[in-house]
Amino acid sequence: SWGGAAGPAKRPLHHALEGIKVLDLGNFLAGPFGAMLLGDLGATVYKLESPLGDQMRSATQPFNGCQRGKLDIVVDLKTPEGVEIAHRLIRQVDVVHHNMRPGAAERLGVDYASSLRLNPTVIYCHTTMWGNDGPRATWPGFDQLAQSSCGLEQELGGEGNPPNWY
């Protein structure tokens, strides 16, 4: 008992990002994972996926884990109709997130400058393996490449053992 004092007021549970809308243009792990975390915090996440599907679909468990809670929309960004759908969504969302190689978003018309013209208040997030400039900027990047390039897989395997993917 709290000495007769009333307990804490009952309030509806709200999520930190409730009411925020996110457009996920990512593939594989790094792009979809970040947007998934925003969804976990209450954001509404729209995943735009190519008619061929996210390239990580064959890895069922990681793919499904990174897509939880998202609203999936199949859109071909290589067609004018697909770009128009993406642009309509960019006008309505608060955040655009992707992990394309530098230059890809520009070619598809979903880059920062295009997004800003469509929605001046948009937050634009670009996750890239090697950065936007420098000698490796145009290289593809995957989790295993990051781990191996910095020695993490060797370290995790331990002395005398083969490298291990974390």
Side-chain angles (χ1 to χ4, degrees), residues 40-150:
D40 287 350
L41 291 169
T44 300
V45 180
Y46 303 97
K47 162 117 174 137
L48 252 61
E49 191 169 350
S50 147
L52 298 175
D54 185 309
Q55 297 163 359
M56 198 169 92
R57 272 192 176 269
S58 60
T60 307
Q61 290 177 330
F63 173 79
N64 288 341
C66 287
Q67 307 314 320
R68 70 174 176 245
K70 296 180 183 179
L71 302 169
D72 199 30
I73 304 169
V74 176
V75 173
D76 187 350
L77 289 176
K78 295 180 180 176
T79 66
E81 297 84 9
V83 172
E84 178 51 36
I85 291 168
H87 285 181
R88 275 190 278 160
L89 283 165
I90 290 169
R91 286 183 193 101
Q92 298 173 27
V93 300
D94 302 290
V95 178
V96 173
H97 186 267
H98 73 85
N99 63 323
M100 299 175 202
R101 281 193 265 175
E106 288 79 4
R107 286 190 300 277
L108 295 171
V110 294
D111 56 298
Y112 176 68
S114 299
S115 296
L116 202 57
R117 275 194 302 276
L118 295 165
N119 182 346
T121 63
V122 75
I123 297 169
Y124 192 87
C125 304
H126 179 204
T127 300
T128 177
M129 173 74 183
W130 306 106
N132 288 319
D133 51 32
R136 297 182 182 178
T138 60
W139 290 14
F142 298 97
D143 190 32
Q144 299 92 325
L145 290 174
Q147 290 182 33
S148 63
S149 68
C150 69

